[in-house]
Amino acid sequence: MSTTAPKPRLVSPNFITEIIEEDLQTGRYQKIVTRFPPEPNGYAHLGHAIASYIDFGIAHDYGGECRLRMDDTNPEAEKAEYAEALIADMRWLGWDWGPEVSYASNYFEQLYQMAERLIQKGLAYVDSVSPEEMARLRGTVDKPGTPSPYRNRSVEENLALFRRMRAGEFPNGAHVLRAKIDLASPNMKLRDPVLYRIVHAEHYRTGQQWCIYPSYDFAQATTDALDGVTHSLCSLEFVDNRAIYDWLMDHLWGEPPLHQTPRPHQYEFGRRSLEYTVVSKRKLRKLVEGGYVRGWDDPRMPTLAGQRRRGVRPQAIRRFAGQVGISRTNRTVDIALLEGAIRDDLNTTAPRVMAVLHPLKVVLTNLTEPRTVSLPYWPHDVIEESPDGLVALPSGERVRPEEAVRQVTLTREIYIEADDFALNPPKGFKRLVPGGTVRLKMAGVVRCDTYQTDQNGQVTELHCTLLEEAKAAGVIHWVSASEAVPAEFRLYDRLFTVPHPEAEAKELEDEHETPDDHDFLRFVNPKSLEVVHGYIEPSVLKDPKETRYQLERNGYFWQDPLDSKPEALVFNRIVTLKDTWARAAAREQEAKRTGEAKTPARAKVSSPAPQSEPQLTPKQQSVLQNFMAQGIHEAEARILAREPRLADFLLQAAQSAPLSALAHWVVNDLGAALRSGEAKIAPAGLAGLVRLLEAGEINTRIAKDVLAEALQTGQDPLEIVQQKRLRQVSDLGALEPIVERILAENPDKVAAYRAGKSGLMGFFVGQVMRETQGQANPKRVQELISRKLG
């Protein structure tokens, strides 16, 4: 009797799979249905890959289904371009969601009818107070909310107003529809959350058919139910939103149109962030618009489009996502895990060929006729691991190992890597030196007899003798100078120089380093892309363009799918052969251990030593985790967890500005005043200032100055900005004469900058900032100076 092998799991057992297994065993659900609901307001990134792996993987493991649904309820930020890119990326990852993609916008009419049903039940009302007043009336964590004067409108009045909102009779912000839940709830999310808002903007799918749109909380629960979802999986920052999810299902599920669908339940897992990168769409947009990368598909970007163009295979992304796993807590993932998954995937799929990236010419003085050398595509370890004893050619055809070879020509003139020769070799150097020998891969041993240099003493050419038999300590690769193909090699590396660029930016105190502090862009790695020109063996010309190679000793590469042409080959480095960053970190740790490490050049915000702090109570620990889940740095979240006064102020301000953007200001700039009770600024005032900062209308220097004045005078920050016309100057026409004058006044520093002292950029930008009293846009200034200085 034949048996079918069990289907391999994608997702390792965890607390969510335990819930699912119990639900299936008890008959709560007959079939598991999950969903992956990205918002089409940007490109998919590695965070989306991990989340989608969980959603689709769990559905796969339990024979269920996973819906791909666009959460398109914000017409001001969403585009068809983003929706199409998200669908293409999920298809590239290999996910199957059936014949159709689901859209929240498909359900707008049904969602509207459910909102009317809540009004008819007396569970929702139209509120007409301002956003600032609404935030004030919600109360604080220690003080219950106050009912809006419109909370007790009659059902008839609420229905009439809501229908007029739909008809477009009111401007943006005039009214909102709120749930009537509990203004005294300790969960702030339950204090009459907004269900619908007025937004007069064209939707990329429905056009101008609608001018009211559901909130995230209302749309997620209801569309999950309409899609037949059983287990709604989301990250930990939505743990408090679950109460709204359940409230909506308590009052809507079981009635049309949800009378024939399973009741969904929400479960949260810890969010995964990745070292040496950022995944905030706003910050990724800054990288693109600021010219730090070459677009959303730049191979340095954490977007799936960028990873795809770099040459990463979807199998590697899925392998990585599976290794990350699921837990109840947030965790930062070492980027080495991703790089390791990519190497593991390519090791058995990328044939080996030779290329020289930094060419040094070698003349084999005694070689009179070219020789043909047969080189294998695969090393012995890969051959031994082959389950069927066969290996692949670059074409994909599987053959016996002895057939997986290509022919290369050894000619009188060849190229080797420049760093494979040293006049003054370091200890342990096993390559070529004057008078020394080395083995050319599969082509014999050479001895360096003489060498030539240019006027700067740089070695330009070696004259060597090819020996039939001789001892050699090392082996190097090579290509024929006459037959190799010229190529451009793009050596991509990590995008940032520090593991946590956002957290590092918040901790910087030295405002002289750059004029706009707390800016993650200062940690962009200037060596994240190095372009070199070398040569690759001609065998690659007959291979499919999408072939990925291991270039001997240089890393894994493939041809750039957009820029590479038959007449001009361009290769992207997908990943290095080894984790060079880990070795550098090990050297740094050893230097610190032996006392050789240099004192850090910049000061950081000092935090109390952990051992000197009293342990957090369970309640404080919960507050800490909640704040960290919403993107607040741990050091600041700890302070907020211990100090309810600061936390209350932050939560009130967060009603009208991003909480993660506010936290640093509350803790570091307002902390002392709030503790002493002398803060003369309202939460809404700080929120308004931060909104201007986030929108780019002011910079950090302006914000700090305005905040300091507001604390002294009690004046609203927005009024100070307006009265003093403190807007960031971004007009290049206004900035250019100032930049030109400063450069003219500092010819010695201009010369030093052009000679390689790039750190002087901070000096030039700082001079412009002082000249403009801090109102210049530092990014624009830097772009202008870079252009002026070439």
Side-chain angles (χ1 to χ4, degrees), residues 375-392:
L375 291 178
Y377 278 117
W378 299 102
H380 291 295
D381 61 332
V382 174
I383 295 172
E384 290 169 0
E385 291 178 10
S386 172
D388 57 3
L390 303 178
V391 291

Side-chain angles (χ1 to χ4, degrees), residues 33-40 44 48 51-53 55-56 59 65-72 82-107 204-205 220 223-224 227 229 304:
V33 180
T34 60
R35 89 287 184 267
F36 176 59
E39 184 181 354
H48 290 104
S52 70
Y53 186 91
D55 292 321
F56 282 97
E65 297 178 12
C66 181
R67 313 279 191 239
L68 174 61
R69 183 176 73 233
M70 296 295 127
D71 178 22
D72 53 352
Y82 296 142
E84 292 164 4
L86 283 162
I87 294 168
D89 286 336
M90 293 303 107
R91 188 172 288 118
W92 176 71
L93 282 176
W95 302 135
D96 178 14
W97 51 82
E100 294 182 352
V101 175
S102 177
Y103 294 84
S105 54
N106 285 348
Y107 299 127
Y204 75 100
R205 294 189 75 239
Q220 282 299 304
T223 53
D224 279 351
D227 270 337
V229 170
L304 296 188

Side-chain angles (χ1 to χ4, degrees), residues 317-359:
I317 300 293
R318 289 173 62 156
R319 181 194 296 254
F320 162 68
Q323 292 171 341
V324 167
I326 305 176
S327 71
R328 296 179 184 271
T329 58
N330 295 326
R331 184 162 66 87
T332 299
V333 180
D334 189 341
I335 198 172
L337 186 67
L338 170 63
E339 294 167 344
I342 296 170
R343 291 188 190 97
D344 290 343
D345 175 64
L346 293 173
N347 181 50
T348 56
T349 58
R352 278 56 167 172
V353 299
M354 295 193 298
V356 172
L357 278 55
H358 302 87

Side-chain angles (χ1 to χ4, degrees), residues 304-471:
L304 296 188
Q307 297 296 299
R308 182 164 61 247
R309 184 171 178 183
R310 185 165 181 154
V312 177
R313 301 201 319 153
Q315 293 91 331
I317 300 293
R318 289 173 62 156
R319 181 194 296 254
F320 162 68
Q323 292 171 341
V324 167
I326 305 176
S327 71
R328 296 179 184 271
T329 58
N330 295 326
R331 184 162 66 87
T332 299
V333 180
D334 189 341
I335 198 172
L337 186 67
L338 170 63
E339 294 167 344
I342 296 170
R343 291 188 190 97
D344 290 343
D345 175 64
L346 293 173
N347 181 50
T348 56
T349 58
R352 278 56 167 172
V353 299
M354 295 193 298
V356 172
L357 278 55
H358 302 87
L360 173 61
K361 182 182 284 188
V362 175
V363 180
L364 303 176
T365 55
N366 64 330
L367 184 64
T368 56
E369 295 291 334
R371 296 182 184 179
T372 300
V373 180
S374 182
L375 291 178
Y377 278 117
W378 299 102
H380 291 295
D381 61 332
V382 174
I383 295 172
E384 290 169 0
E385 291 178 10
S386 172
D388 57 3
L390 303 178
V391 291
L393 295 172
S395 64
E397 179 187 358
R398 296 188 66 80
V399 298
R400 295 192 302 273
E402 60 269 22
E403 297 176 291
V405 297
R406 79 280 189 196
Q407 309 302 316
V408 297
T409 305
L410 179 69
T411 55
R412 178 180 172 82
E413 293 184 352
I414 63 173
Y415 291 118
I416 67 171
E417 295 287 354
D419 61 4
D420 280 342
F421 174 80
L423 288 174
N424 301 295
K427 185 178 179 180
F429 190 75
K430 295 182 179 180
R431 284 163 279 172
L432 200 55
V433 298
T437 59
V438 75
R439 185 175 298 278
L440 298 178
K441 186 175 178 67
M442 305 293 287
V445 177
V446 295
R447 181 188 66 235
C448 178
D449 300 319
T450 61
Y451 59 88
Q452 297 178 3
T453 61
D454 59 18
Q455 59 184 7
N456 298 318
Q458 189 77 25
V459 177
T460 58
E461 187 172 298
L462 307 181
H463 285 205
C464 299
T465 299
L466 182 63
L467 306 173
E468 295 302 327
E469 289 295 333
K471 290 184 178 181

